Amino acid sequence: ASKLSTVASPLSTTEPQTDHKSVITYNNFYEFGTDKGDPAQNAHRMATRPWAVKVEGLVGKPRTFDIDELLKLAPLEERIYRMRCVEGWSMVIPWVGFPLAALLKAVEPLGSAKYVEFLTHYDPEIMLRRPVLAWPYGEGLRLDEALHPLTILAVGLYGEVLPNQNGAPIRLVVPWKYGFKSAKSIVTIRLTEKQPPTAWNRAAPHEYGFYSNVNPEVSHPRWSQATERRIGEIRKRPTLMFNGYGEQVASLYQGMDLRKQY
Amino acid sequence: MPTFLRAPSGAQIALIKAIVFLLCLLPALSLALGWYDDALGANPIETITRASGEWTLRFLLITLAVTPLRRYTGLHWLLRLRRMLGLFVFAYAVGHLTTYLWLDQFFDWQAIANDILDRPFITVGFAAFVLLIPLAVTSNSFAIRRLGGRRWQSLHRSVYGIAILGVVHFWWLVKADLLEPFIYALILAVLLGLRAWWRELERRRQLSVPPPAKHLERPVIRIVPK
């Protein structure tokens, strides 16, 4: 993959990074199959050029961005983040990307905009046809979450262009939420007044809430969220509230009951 | 059909058993080698947990397939493999549980107890394992003699319920894509359905046999234990 030039970010963690091979071979990208190894096997079928991202809804300047315009929208930064999957495993991944806020500011959100909806690429010719989830995969954030400096659109990994199985050419990364919130291969970003539907919440509303913040105190019917296994390690480690990003993001949820708003 | 298949000699049965034994060991062997070669992917503990669980289910379905296979092929000696296959179900279940207790939870008994109580898929999986224990313990000829054929058989019929628990365990574990557990459920439904169907056939057969005329009936001698 081709190299990307990046600047370092103070928001990066200094923890040891998960080995490159694990990051690009152990993926959840259900459109390409539901086994962890399937996306690495099948995602090469997806063409990532040309690629356009439509930004619409409650914005002053709706427009469609070409992927190459997006790469120049803001300086590309290396953001080394912890990534915690709802299944109880985690990684430390050096993403390359830029703040989602940079894109949102360019389209001038209206005062009535409260949420941001993300819709991802779905092509039944090359992707799973069985309706495992309601395709296309949709995700959403509250506008203040979307504007948070930790929230990025990633276009690369380990200093190189993002591999298809990791959500090329452009994906969301929200490091204090479970991994499934970070939608891959995004084609539409829509600002809305109402909370948008999200794929996993529609599939199992009692298991996956809209917020899906990493929270060791709220257990999942299938997995205790108290601990996690960092890929590459044997013993589990305790899971941190907001995946360890509490200092930066806890204020977003002041006054909310996170047991109910899971 | 060659004679050795239709009616193998004692030595041939012994050879078949040895081959089947080695074949049944292969999945465990390949996982053990994979562990030492670091060839089980990014999350080897998950790979082992998943594989040992799926092999437990597969051996359970294979064991349940022995009787139908025997009935439809007439290869009665297949029955002589059943005990070994059943014990492999137990062996893989022990491997599966050990992986969970040791590699996954590292004997964190509090977390394990919470899992069994709070997570329905673990509750039923654990129940299935506990119910397998009496079957493994009574799998020897001594136990059959001790219990008597009838009681032994009704005890071992609990394997049908265990198989259902095993499939439910898998079904409830899966996040969204139910295709795989569905396949196991379908095979199990066929294997259990066949047995229900045979019972029905047997019932009909008994109903269709006219009762013997009164004067031909022989006196029934009952042996009543004192």
Side-chain angles (χ1 to χ4, degrees), chain A residues 22 26 30 34 36 87 130 132 200 208 219-224 229 231 234-236, chain B residues 35 42-43 45-46 103-106 115 118-121 172-177 179:
Chain A
S22 295
Y26 189 75
Y30 273 21
T34 53
K36 294 285 185 298
E87 295 165 354
R130 283 186 290 126
V132 173
W200 280 101
Y208 311 97
S219 80
H220 182 276
R222 270 176 262 267
W223 306 281
S224 151
R229 175 169 295 112
I231 293 300
I234 298 291
R235 296 290 292 266
K236 289 184 176 179
Chain B
W35 176 264
N43 196 346
I45 295 173
E46 180 193 53
L103 296 177
D104 193 48
Q105 296 291 353
F106 235 90
D115 264 358
D118 295 347
R119 271 165 265 294
F121 88 95
W172 283 351
L173 150 78
V174 168
K175 262 203 311 190
D177 188 1
L179 182 64

mmCIF file of all heavy atoms in Angstrom, chain A residues 22 26 30 34 36 87 130 132 200 208 219-224 229 231 234-236, chain B residues 35 42-43 45-46 103-106 115 118-121 172-177 179:
data_model
loop_
_atom_site.group_PDB
_atom_site.id
_atom_site.type_symbol
_atom_site.label_atom_id
_atom_site.label_comp_id
_atom_site.label_asym_id
_atom_site.label_seq_id
_atom_site.Cartn_x
_atom_site.Cartn_y
_atom_site.Cartn_z
ATOM 1 N N SER A 22 -2.275 -8.761 12.597
ATOM 2 C CA SER A 22 -3.537 -8.977 13.310
ATOM 3 C C SER A 22 -4.565 -7.914 12.921
ATOM 4 O O SER A 22 -5.738 -8.220 12.731
ATOM 5 C CB SER A 22 -3.312 -8.948 14.821
ATOM 6 O OG SER A 22 -2.498 -10.017 15.212
ATOM 7 N N TYR A 26 -7.872 -9.724 11.243
ATOM 8 C CA TYR A 26 -8.871 -10.082 12.249
ATOM 9 C C TYR A 26 -9.896 -8.947 12.265
ATOM 10 O O TYR A 26 -9.719 -7.944 12.964
ATOM 11 C CB TYR A 26 -8.170 -10.243 13.601
ATOM 12 C CG TYR A 26 -9.012 -10.817 14.701
ATOM 13 C CD1 TYR A 26 -9.311 -12.180 14.732
ATOM 14 C CD2 TYR A 26 -9.490 -10.018 15.736
ATOM 15 C CE1 TYR A 26 -10.068 -12.723 15.760
ATOM 16 C CE2 TYR A 26 -10.243 -10.549 16.768
ATOM 17 C CZ TYR A 26 -10.528 -11.901 16.773
ATOM 18 O OH TYR A 26 -11.274 -12.436 17.804
ATOM 19 N N TYR A 30 -19.090 -7.307 8.292
ATOM 20 C CA TYR A 30 -20.018 -8.382 7.974
ATOM 21 C C TYR A 30 -20.429 -8.423 6.506
ATOM 22 O O TYR A 30 -20.806 -9.465 5.998
ATOM 23 C CB TYR A 30 -21.259 -8.272 8.873
ATOM 24 C CG TYR A 30 -21.121 -8.983 10.201
ATOM 25 C CD1 TYR A 30 -19.865 -9.287 10.729
ATOM 26 C CD2 TYR A 30 -22.241 -9.356 10.928
ATOM 27 C CE1 TYR A 30 -19.742 -9.947 11.937
ATOM 28 C CE2 TYR A 30 -22.125 -10.017 12.146
ATOM 29 C CZ TYR A 30 -20.873 -10.309 12.648
ATOM 30 O OH TYR A 30 -20.763 -10.970 13.846
ATOM 31 N N THR A 34 -19.015 -13.218 7.912
ATOM 32 C CA THR A 34 -19.144 -13.022 9.365
ATOM 33 C C THR A 34 -18.026 -13.684 10.167
ATOM 34 O O THR A 34 -17.998 -13.575 11.378
ATOM 35 C CB THR A 34 -20.507 -13.533 9.848
ATOM 36 O OG1 THR A 34 -20.670 -14.884 9.407
ATOM 37 C CG2 THR A 34 -21.641 -12.685 9.299
ATOM 38 N N LYS A 36 -14.050 -13.788 11.281
ATOM 39 C CA LYS A 36 -13.043 -12.729 11.411
ATOM 40 C C LYS A 36 -12.084 -12.683 10.211
ATOM 41 O O LYS A 36 -11.591 -11.623 9.852
ATOM 42 C CB LYS A 36 -12.226 -12.942 12.681
ATOM 43 C CG LYS A 36 -13.022 -12.790 13.966
ATOM 44 C CD LYS A 36 -13.286 -11.341 14.245
ATOM 45 C CE LYS A 36 -13.964 -11.173 15.591
ATOM 46 N NZ LYS A 36 -15.269 -11.853 15.632
ATOM 47 N N GLU A 87 -17.166 -7.602 21.594
ATOM 48 C CA GLU A 87 -16.973 -9.039 21.833
ATOM 49 C C GLU A 87 -15.914 -9.330 22.894
ATOM 50 O O GLU A 87 -15.632 -10.500 23.160
ATOM 51 C CB GLU A 87 -16.563 -9.727 20.521
ATOM 52 C CG GLU A 87 -17.644 -9.685 19.463
ATOM 53 C CD GLU A 87 -17.122 -10.024 18.070
ATOM 54 O OE1 GLU A 87 -15.895 -10.176 17.904
ATOM 55 O OE2 GLU A 87 -17.939 -10.111 17.149
ATOM 56 N N ARG A 130 -27.213 -12.334 2.208
ATOM 57 C CA ARG A 130 -28.102 -12.723 3.310
ATOM 58 C C ARG A 130 -28.316 -11.518 4.222
ATOM 59 O O ARG A 130 -27.373 -10.803 4.544
ATOM 60 C CB ARG A 130 -27.449 -13.845 4.126
ATOM 61 C CG ARG A 130 -27.540 -15.191 3.443
ATOM 62 C CD ARG A 130 -27.017 -16.274 4.345
ATOM 63 N NE ARG A 130 -25.577 -16.214 4.525
ATOM 64 C CZ ARG A 130 -24.970 -16.172 5.693
ATOM 65 N NH1 ARG A 130 -25.660 -16.177 6.805
ATOM 66 N NH2 ARG A 130 -23.657 -16.145 5.761
ATOM 67 N N VAL A 132 -28.094 -10.503 7.143
ATOM 68 C CA VAL A 132 -27.596 -10.695 8.514
ATOM 69 C C VAL A 132 -27.869 -9.429 9.333
ATOM 70 O O VAL A 132 -28.304 -9.482 10.474
ATOM 71 C CB VAL A 132 -26.091 -11.017 8.485
ATOM 72 C CG1 VAL A 132 -25.535 -11.051 9.889
ATOM 73 C CG2 VAL A 132 -25.857 -12.359 7.784
ATOM 74 N N TRP A 200 -26.837 -2.230 14.433
ATOM 75 C CA TRP A 200 -26.871 -3.228 15.503
ATOM 76 C C TRP A 200 -28.037 -2.987 16.447
ATOM 77 O O TRP A 200 -28.605 -3.929 16.992
ATOM 78 C CB TRP A 200 -25.544 -3.279 16.256
ATOM 79 C CG TRP A 200 -24.547 -4.075 15.485
ATOM 80 C CD1 TRP A 200 -23.532 -3.600 14.710
ATOM 81 C CD2 TRP A 200 -24.517 -5.499 15.369
ATOM 82 N NE1 TRP A 200 -22.860 -4.649 14.121
ATOM 83 C CE2 TRP A 200 -23.438 -5.825 14.510
ATOM 84 C CE3 TRP A 200 -25.287 -6.542 15.900
ATOM 85 C CZ2 TRP A 200 -23.115 -7.139 14.172
ATOM 86 C CZ3 TRP A 200 -24.958 -7.855 15.577
ATOM 87 C CH2 TRP A 200 -23.884 -8.140 14.719
ATOM 88 N N TYR A 208 -27.650 -3.711 22.011
ATOM 89 C CA TYR A 208 -26.836 -2.617 21.488
ATOM 90 C C TYR A 208 -27.646 -1.331 21.474
ATOM 91 O O TYR A 208 -28.626 -1.219 20.738
ATOM 92 C CB TYR A 208 -26.353 -2.914 20.069
ATOM 93 C CG TYR A 208 -25.751 -4.286 19.932
ATOM 94 C CD1 TYR A 208 -26.504 -5.351 19.453
ATOM 95 C CD2 TYR A 208 -24.427 -4.522 20.311
ATOM 96 C CE1 TYR A 208 -25.954 -6.623 19.346
ATOM 97 C CE2 TYR A 208 -23.877 -5.786 20.205
ATOM 98 C CZ TYR A 208 -24.650 -6.831 19.726
ATOM 99 O OH TYR A 208 -24.112 -8.080 19.621
ATOM 100 N N SER A 219 -22.982 -4.865 31.593
ATOM 101 C CA SER A 219 -22.589 -6.082 30.912
ATOM 102 C C SER A 219 -23.574 -6.377 29.797
ATOM 103 O O SER A 219 -24.700 -5.913 29.776
ATOM 104 C CB SER A 219 -22.456 -7.249 31.881
ATOM 105 O OG SER A 219 -23.727 -7.776 32.163
ATOM 106 N N HIS A 220 -23.071 -7.154 28.858
ATOM 107 C CA HIS A 220 -23.828 -7.508 27.672
ATOM 108 C C HIS A 220 -24.321 -8.936 27.883
ATOM 109 O O HIS A 220 -23.665 -9.716 28.556
ATOM 110 C CB HIS A 220 -22.856 -7.417 26.483
ATOM 111 C CG HIS A 220 -23.481 -7.697 25.177
ATOM 112 N ND1 HIS A 220 -23.648 -8.976 24.715
ATOM 113 C CD2 HIS A 220 -23.983 -6.882 24.229
ATOM 114 C CE1 HIS A 220 -24.235 -8.920 23.526
ATOM 115 N NE2 HIS A 220 -24.450 -7.660 23.207
ATOM 116 N N PRO A 221 -25.508 -9.296 27.325
ATOM 117 C CA PRO A 221 -25.997 -10.660 27.550
ATOM 118 C C PRO A 221 -25.018 -11.754 27.117
ATOM 119 O O PRO A 221 -25.087 -12.872 27.601
ATOM 120 C CB PRO A 221 -27.285 -10.731 26.730
ATOM 121 C CG PRO A 221 -27.434 -9.436 26.031
ATOM 122 C CD PRO A 221 -26.466 -8.473 26.609
ATOM 123 N N ARG A 222 -24.126 -11.458 26.209
ATOM 124 C CA ARG A 222 -23.181 -12.466 25.755
ATOM 125 C C ARG A 222 -21.788 -12.310 26.343
ATOM 126 O O ARG A 222 -21.039 -13.267 26.415
ATOM 127 C CB ARG A 222 -23.076 -12.444 24.234
ATOM 128 C CG ARG A 222 -24.057 -13.347 23.575
ATOM 129 C CD ARG A 222 -23.923 -13.174 22.087
ATOM 130 N NE ARG A 222 -24.938 -12.261 21.628
ATOM 131 C CZ ARG A 222 -26.113 -12.666 21.178
ATOM 132 N NH1 ARG A 222 -26.384 -13.920 21.108
ATOM 133 N NH2 ARG A 222 -27.023 -11.794 20.812
ATOM 134 N N TRP A 223 -21.416 -11.082 26.673
ATOM 135 C CA TRP A 223 -20.056 -10.857 27.158
ATOM 136 C C TRP A 223 -20.083 -9.943 28.363
ATOM 137 O O TRP A 223 -20.734 -8.899 28.339
ATOM 138 C CB TRP A 223 -19.204 -10.185 26.073
ATOM 139 C CG TRP A 223 -19.213 -10.940 24.802
ATOM 140 C CD1 TRP A 223 -18.485 -12.061 24.520
ATOM 141 C CD2 TRP A 223 -19.986 -10.654 23.622
ATOM 142 N NE1 TRP A 223 -18.758 -12.489 23.254
ATOM 143 C CE2 TRP A 223 -19.670 -11.653 22.679
ATOM 144 C CE3 TRP A 223 -20.902 -9.667 23.286
ATOM 145 C CZ2 TRP A 223 -20.251 -11.684 21.414
ATOM 146 C CZ3 TRP A 223 -21.478 -9.706 22.034
ATOM 147 C CH2 TRP A 223 -21.154 -10.700 21.117
ATOM 148 N N SER A 224 -19.329 -10.334 29.405
ATOM 149 C CA SER A 224 -19.117 -9.403 30.506
ATOM 150 C C SER A 224 -18.233 -8.323 29.913
ATOM 151 O O SER A 224 -17.303 -8.617 29.192
ATOM 152 C CB SER A 224 -18.372 -10.107 31.632
ATOM 153 O OG SER A 224 -17.611 -9.158 32.344
ATOM 154 N N ARG A 229 -9.540 -8.895 26.263
ATOM 155 C CA ARG A 229 -8.255 -9.482 25.875
ATOM 156 C C ARG A 229 -7.643 -8.632 24.777
ATOM 157 O O ARG A 229 -8.196 -8.490 23.695
ATOM 158 C CB ARG A 229 -8.419 -10.922 25.396
ATOM 159 C CG ARG A 229 -7.094 -11.504 24.860
ATOM 160 C CD ARG A 229 -7.145 -12.995 24.621
ATOM 161 N NE ARG A 229 -7.334 -13.709 25.871
ATOM 162 C CZ ARG A 229 -8.424 -14.382 26.199
ATOM 163 N NH1 ARG A 229 -9.429 -14.468 25.379
ATOM 164 N NH2 ARG A 229 -8.504 -14.985 27.361
ATOM 165 N N ILE A 231 -5.432 -8.125 21.838
ATOM 166 C CA ILE A 231 -4.939 -9.090 20.845
ATOM 167 C C ILE A 231 -3.410 -9.176 20.941
ATOM 168 O O ILE A 231 -2.727 -8.148 20.977
ATOM 169 C CB ILE A 231 -5.398 -8.677 19.423
ATOM 170 C CG1 ILE A 231 -6.924 -8.794 19.300
ATOM 171 C CG2 ILE A 231 -4.709 -9.504 18.348
ATOM 172 C CD1 ILE A 231 -7.516 -10.167 19.533
ATOM 173 N N ILE A 234 -2.390 -13.053 26.406
ATOM 174 C CA ILE A 234 -3.152 -14.214 26.862
ATOM 175 C C ILE A 234 -4.119 -13.810 27.980
ATOM 176 O O ILE A 234 -5.321 -14.055 27.902
ATOM 177 C CB ILE A 234 -2.201 -15.323 27.369
ATOM 178 C CG1 ILE A 234 -1.300 -15.804 26.229
ATOM 179 C CG2 ILE A 234 -2.983 -16.483 27.979
ATOM 180 C CD1 ILE A 234 -2.000 -16.579 25.140
ATOM 181 N N ARG A 235 -3.576 -13.180 29.009
ATOM 182 C CA ARG A 235 -4.415 -12.822 30.148
ATOM 183 C C ARG A 235 -5.263 -11.604 29.820
ATOM 184 O O ARG A 235 -4.837 -10.711 29.087
ATOM 185 C CB ARG A 235 -3.540 -12.508 31.379
ATOM 186 C CG ARG A 235 -2.742 -13.707 31.871
ATOM 187 C CD ARG A 235 -3.625 -14.764 32.505
ATOM 188 N NE ARG A 235 -4.215 -14.313 33.743
ATOM 189 C CZ ARG A 235 -3.698 -14.537 34.953
ATOM 190 N NH1 ARG A 235 -2.571 -15.196 35.080
ATOM 191 N NH2 ARG A 235 -4.313 -14.108 36.033
ATOM 192 N N LYS A 236 -6.477 -11.588 30.401
ATOM 193 C CA LYS A 236 -7.350 -10.444 30.167
ATOM 194 C C LYS A 236 -6.930 -9.268 31.053
ATOM 195 O O LYS A 236 -6.266 -9.458 32.059
ATOM 196 C CB LYS A 236 -8.788 -10.837 30.494
ATOM 197 C CG LYS A 236 -9.375 -11.790 29.479
ATOM 198 C CD LYS A 236 -10.825 -12.056 29.804
ATOM 199 C CE LYS A 236 -11.442 -12.934 28.739
ATOM 200 N NZ LYS A 236 -12.845 -13.230 29.045
ATOM 201 N N TRP B 35 -1.328 -24.099 18.077
ATOM 202 C CA TRP B 35 -0.981 -23.283 19.259
ATOM 203 C C TRP B 35 0.526 -23.102 19.340
ATOM 204 O O TRP B 35 1.024 -21.995 19.541
ATOM 205 C CB TRP B 35 -1.539 -23.953 20.513
ATOM 206 C CG TRP B 35 -1.183 -23.274 21.800
ATOM 207 C CD1 TRP B 35 -0.156 -23.587 22.648
ATOM 208 C CD2 TRP B 35 -1.850 -22.149 22.403
ATOM 209 N NE1 TRP B 35 -0.144 -22.751 23.735
ATOM 210 C CE2 TRP B 35 -1.173 -21.853 23.614
ATOM 211 C CE3 TRP B 35 -2.963 -21.383 22.044
ATOM 212 C CZ2 TRP B 35 -1.568 -20.821 24.462
ATOM 213 C CZ3 TRP B 35 -3.351 -20.343 22.898
ATOM 214 C CH2 TRP B 35 -2.664 -20.075 24.082
ATOM 215 N N ALA B 42 -5.148 -14.236 14.973
ATOM 216 C CA ALA B 42 -4.878 -13.132 15.887
ATOM 217 C C ALA B 42 -5.378 -13.424 17.299
ATOM 218 O O ALA B 42 -4.849 -12.902 18.273
ATOM 219 C CB ALA B 42 -5.512 -11.853 15.351
ATOM 220 N N ASN B 43 -6.407 -14.249 17.426
ATOM 221 C CA ASN B 43 -7.014 -14.519 18.736
ATOM 222 C C ASN B 43 -7.074 -16.029 18.960
ATOM 223 O O ASN B 43 -8.127 -16.645 18.852
ATOM 224 C CB ASN B 43 -8.414 -13.891 18.773
ATOM 225 C CG ASN B 43 -8.960 -13.782 20.182
ATOM 226 O OD1 ASN B 43 -8.437 -14.401 21.118
ATOM 227 N ND2 ASN B 43 -10.022 -13.007 20.349
ATOM 228 N N ILE B 45 -6.999 -18.024 21.458
ATOM 229 C CA ILE B 45 -7.871 -18.590 22.501
ATOM 230 C C ILE B 45 -9.300 -18.686 21.978
ATOM 231 O O ILE B 45 -9.996 -19.679 22.180
ATOM 232 C CB ILE B 45 -7.777 -17.752 23.792
ATOM 233 C CG1 ILE B 45 -6.356 -17.861 24.343
ATOM 234 C CG2 ILE B 45 -8.801 -18.211 24.819
ATOM 235 C CD1 ILE B 45 -6.063 -16.956 25.512
ATOM 236 N N GLU B 46 -9.727 -17.663 21.251
ATOM 237 C CA GLU B 46 -11.059 -17.710 20.649
ATOM 238 C C GLU B 46 -11.138 -18.853 19.629
ATOM 239 O O GLU B 46 -12.133 -19.580 19.566
ATOM 240 C CB GLU B 46 -11.352 -16.370 19.954
ATOM 241 C CG GLU B 46 -12.715 -16.312 19.293
ATOM 242 C CD GLU B 46 -12.857 -15.104 18.357
ATOM 243 O OE1 GLU B 46 -11.991 -14.918 17.470
ATOM 244 O OE2 GLU B 46 -13.820 -14.354 18.527
ATOM 245 N N LEU B 103 -7.704 -20.896 29.820
ATOM 246 C CA LEU B 103 -7.136 -19.881 28.923
ATOM 247 C C LEU B 103 -7.988 -18.619 28.864
ATOM 248 O O LEU B 103 -7.471 -17.508 28.799
ATOM 249 C CB LEU B 103 -6.981 -20.463 27.513
ATOM 250 C CG LEU B 103 -5.998 -21.625 27.380
ATOM 251 C CD1 LEU B 103 -5.986 -22.147 25.960
ATOM 252 C CD2 LEU B 103 -4.605 -21.192 27.815
ATOM 253 N N ASP B 104 -9.307 -18.796 28.865
ATOM 254 C CA ASP B 104 -10.157 -17.618 28.705
ATOM 255 C C ASP B 104 -10.330 -16.861 30.025
ATOM 256 O O ASP B 104 -10.152 -15.656 30.070
ATOM 257 C CB ASP B 104 -11.521 -18.023 28.133
ATOM 258 C CG ASP B 104 -12.303 -16.813 27.651
ATOM 259 O OD1 ASP B 104 -11.710 -15.988 26.933
ATOM 260 O OD2 ASP B 104 -13.483 -16.670 28.015
ATOM 261 N N GLN B 105 -10.691 -17.572 31.092
ATOM 262 C CA GLN B 105 -10.979 -16.886 32.364
ATOM 263 C C GLN B 105 -9.844 -16.961 33.374
ATOM 264 O O GLN B 105 -9.912 -16.325 34.422
ATOM 265 C CB GLN B 105 -12.261 -17.469 32.992
ATOM 266 C CG GLN B 105 -13.518 -17.250 32.170
ATOM 267 C CD GLN B 105 -13.950 -15.790 32.130
ATOM 268 O OE1 GLN B 105 -13.382 -14.944 32.816
ATOM 269 N NE2 GLN B 105 -14.944 -15.497 31.318
ATOM 270 N N PHE B 106 -8.844 -17.769 33.084
ATOM 271 C CA PHE B 106 -7.734 -17.963 34.006
ATOM 272 C C PHE B 106 -8.195 -18.229 35.444
ATOM 273 O O PHE B 106 -7.715 -17.646 36.404
ATOM 274 C CB PHE B 106 -6.751 -16.794 33.945
ATOM 275 C CG PHE B 106 -5.362 -17.279 33.663
ATOM 276 C CD1 PHE B 106 -4.903 -17.402 32.362
ATOM 277 C CD2 PHE B 106 -4.551 -17.676 34.709
ATOM 278 C CE1 PHE B 106 -3.640 -17.907 32.109
ATOM 279 C CE2 PHE B 106 -3.281 -18.182 34.450
ATOM 280 C CZ PHE B 106 -2.821 -18.297 33.153
ATOM 281 N N ASP B 115 -20.757 -15.557 34.767
ATOM 282 C CA ASP B 115 -21.064 -15.985 33.400
ATOM 283 C C ASP B 115 -22.153 -17.049 33.413
ATOM 284 O O ASP B 115 -23.109 -16.984 32.641
ATOM 285 C CB ASP B 115 -19.807 -16.567 32.734
ATOM 286 C CG ASP B 115 -19.063 -15.545 31.889
ATOM 287 O OD1 ASP B 115 -19.545 -14.403 31.790
ATOM 288 O OD2 ASP B 115 -18.005 -15.895 31.334
ATOM 289 N N ASP B 118 -25.448 -15.318 34.590
ATOM 290 C CA ASP B 118 -25.995 -14.158 33.857
ATOM 291 C C ASP B 118 -26.098 -14.356 32.353
ATOM 292 O O ASP B 118 -26.853 -13.649 31.698
ATOM 293 C CB ASP B 118 -25.114 -12.914 34.070
ATOM 294 C CG ASP B 118 -25.131 -12.453 35.509
ATOM 295 O OD1 ASP B 118 -26.005 -12.932 36.253
ATOM 296 O OD2 ASP B 118 -24.277 -11.626 35.875
ATOM 297 N N ARG B 119 -25.274 -15.228 31.801
ATOM 298 C CA ARG B 119 -25.243 -15.318 30.344
ATOM 299 C C ARG B 119 -25.916 -16.601 29.892
ATOM 300 O O ARG B 119 -25.359 -17.680 30.048
ATOM 301 C CB ARG B 119 -23.807 -15.226 29.843
ATOM 302 C CG ARG B 119 -23.412 -13.787 29.593
ATOM 303 C CD ARG B 119 -21.965 -13.541 29.448
ATOM 304 N NE ARG B 119 -21.371 -13.125 30.712
ATOM 305 C CZ ARG B 119 -21.653 -11.988 31.329
ATOM 306 N NH1 ARG B 119 -22.494 -11.137 30.818
ATOM 307 N NH2 ARG B 119 -21.094 -11.694 32.473
ATOM 308 N N PRO B 120 -27.136 -16.456 29.349
ATOM 309 C CA PRO B 120 -27.931 -17.650 29.026
ATOM 310 C C PRO B 120 -27.187 -18.680 28.183
ATOM 311 O O PRO B 120 -27.325 -19.878 28.419
ATOM 312 C CB PRO B 120 -29.120 -17.077 28.257
ATOM 313 C CG PRO B 120 -29.199 -15.645 28.662
ATOM 314 C CD PRO B 120 -27.822 -15.211 29.018
ATOM 315 N N PHE B 121 -26.361 -18.248 27.223
ATOM 316 C CA PHE B 121 -25.707 -19.259 26.383
ATOM 317 C C PHE B 121 -24.710 -20.067 27.194
ATOM 318 O O PHE B 121 -24.523 -21.262 26.955
ATOM 319 C CB PHE B 121 -25.077 -18.629 25.126
ATOM 320 C CG PHE B 121 -23.664 -18.132 25.266
ATOM 321 C CD1 PHE B 121 -22.590 -18.928 24.903
ATOM 322 C CD2 PHE B 121 -23.410 -16.857 25.718
ATOM 323 C CE1 PHE B 121 -21.281 -18.472 25.006
ATOM 324 C CE2 PHE B 121 -22.117 -16.385 25.833
ATOM 325 C CZ PHE B 121 -21.042 -17.192 25.481
ATOM 326 N N TRP B 172 -27.427 -19.217 20.786
ATOM 327 C CA TRP B 172 -27.462 -17.999 21.616
ATOM 328 C C TRP B 172 -26.130 -17.278 21.669
ATOM 329 O O TRP B 172 -26.056 -16.111 22.043
ATOM 330 C CB TRP B 172 -27.927 -18.349 23.034
ATOM 331 C CG TRP B 172 -29.399 -18.562 23.120
ATOM 332 C CD1 TRP B 172 -30.324 -18.309 22.151
ATOM 333 C CD2 TRP B 172 -30.141 -19.075 24.239
ATOM 334 N NE1 TRP B 172 -31.575 -18.635 22.591
ATOM 335 C CE2 TRP B 172 -31.495 -19.110 23.875
ATOM 336 C CE3 TRP B 172 -29.777 -19.515 25.514
ATOM 337 C CZ2 TRP B 172 -32.497 -19.548 24.728
ATOM 338 C CZ3 TRP B 172 -30.767 -19.945 26.376
ATOM 339 C CH2 TRP B 172 -32.115 -19.962 25.986
ATOM 340 N N LEU B 173 -25.062 -17.957 21.306
ATOM 341 C CA LEU B 173 -23.749 -17.324 21.319
ATOM 342 C C LEU B 173 -23.593 -16.383 20.132
ATOM 343 O O LEU B 173 -22.966 -15.336 20.217
ATOM 344 C CB LEU B 173 -22.656 -18.411 21.268
ATOM 345 C CG LEU B 173 -21.331 -18.046 20.590
ATOM 346 C CD1 LEU B 173 -20.493 -17.206 21.533
ATOM 347 C CD2 LEU B 173 -20.554 -19.275 20.183
ATOM 348 N N VAL B 174 -24.191 -16.777 19.002
ATOM 349 C CA VAL B 174 -23.957 -16.059 17.757
ATOM 350 C C VAL B 174 -24.623 -14.682 17.791
ATOM 351 O O VAL B 174 -25.747 -14.541 18.245
ATOM 352 C CB VAL B 174 -24.479 -16.904 16.570
ATOM 353 C CG1 VAL B 174 -24.516 -16.088 15.303
ATOM 354 C CG2 VAL B 174 -23.599 -18.129 16.394
ATOM 355 N N LYS B 175 -23.887 -13.670 17.299
ATOM 356 C CA LYS B 175 -24.375 -12.298 17.350
ATOM 357 C C LYS B 175 -25.503 -12.046 16.370
ATOM 358 O O LYS B 175 -26.527 -11.521 16.722
ATOM 359 C CB LYS B 175 -23.225 -11.337 17.007
ATOM 360 C CG LYS B 175 -22.560 -10.751 18.217
ATOM 361 C CD LYS B 175 -21.834 -9.438 17.946
ATOM 362 C CE LYS B 175 -20.921 -9.413 16.765
ATOM 363 N NZ LYS B 175 -20.090 -8.186 16.727
ATOM 364 N N ALA B 176 -25.291 -12.398 15.107
ATOM 365 C CA ALA B 176 -26.318 -12.062 14.118
ATOM 366 C C ALA B 176 -26.460 -13.115 13.027
ATOM 367 O O ALA B 176 -27.551 -13.360 12.550
ATOM 368 C CB ALA B 176 -26.006 -10.716 13.478
ATOM 369 N N ASP B 177 -25.366 -13.748 12.645
ATOM 370 C CA ASP B 177 -25.428 -14.649 11.504
ATOM 371 C C ASP B 177 -25.735 -16.068 11.992
ATOM 372 O O ASP B 177 -24.856 -16.803 12.424
ATOM 373 C CB ASP B 177 -24.093 -14.626 10.767
ATOM 374 C CG ASP B 177 -24.181 -15.412 9.465
ATOM 375 O OD1 ASP B 177 -25.261 -15.937 9.166
ATOM 376 O OD2 ASP B 177 -23.161 -15.485 8.764
ATOM 377 N N LEU B 179 -26.660 -18.703 10.397
ATOM 378 C CA LEU B 179 -26.581 -19.778 9.405
ATOM 379 C C LEU B 179 -25.959 -21.060 9.977
ATOM 380 O O LEU B 179 -26.529 -22.142 9.859
ATOM 381 C CB LEU B 179 -25.783 -19.299 8.186
ATOM 382 C CG LEU B 179 -25.667 -20.329 7.061
ATOM 383 C CD1 LEU B 179 -27.023 -20.652 6.470
ATOM 384 C CD2 LEU B 179 -24.729 -19.837 5.968
#
